[in-house]
Amino acid sequence: MAVTLAGADTPGEHLQLAAFTAMAAVVFIWLGRRQRSTGRSLIAPSETMRTADRLIPPPAPSRGHRAAGCMWIGVGGIFVLPAVFNLLAAIHELIS
């Protein structure tokens, strides 16, 4: 059933889907760990801004950004499952 929903018919297509979802999982988990450890936004995590004649320090770490980092790690975890299932489907089709 999972193979039918994925739309892949050959082992090569399964491996391509597994590689794509694994890359997405790595990116989301990396971003989540980075945001959780720093407690700062992903857009400008620790940059000091210069205005006219003085420097403005970055905002302080916040609990909300740490919680969002945990959420991104969870999203990455969701992408791990399809990667594993597609890898197993490719191995199964190569063996049989």
Side-chain angles (χ1 to χ4, degrees), residues 51-77:
T51 61
D53 59 343
R54 64 185 175 133
L55 294 174
I56 299 175
S62 73
R63 265 184 136 169
H65 288 297
R66 286 198 170 101
C70 290
M71 185 221 31
W72 286 117
I73 291 172
V75 169

Side-chain angles (χ1 to χ4, degrees), residues 12-84:
E13 290 174 346
H14 283 291
L15 290 174
Q16 286 177 348
L17 286 171
F20 175 74
T21 55
M23 285 189 302
V26 166
V27 167
F28 284 126
I29 291 172
W30 175 76
L31 288 174
R33 287 178 53 117
R34 182 172 178 227
Q35 186 167 358
R36 191 182 70 186
S37 67
T38 62
R40 294 193 162 102
S41 173
L42 292 174
I43 297 171
S46 61
E47 294 179 3
T48 302
M49 297 188 321
R50 176 176 288 283
T51 61
D53 59 343
R54 64 185 175 133
L55 294 174
I56 299 175
S62 73
R63 265 184 136 169
H65 288 297
R66 286 198 170 101
C70 290
M71 185 221 31
W72 286 117
I73 291 172
V75 169
I78 291 171
F79 276 93
V80 170
L81 290 175
V84 170

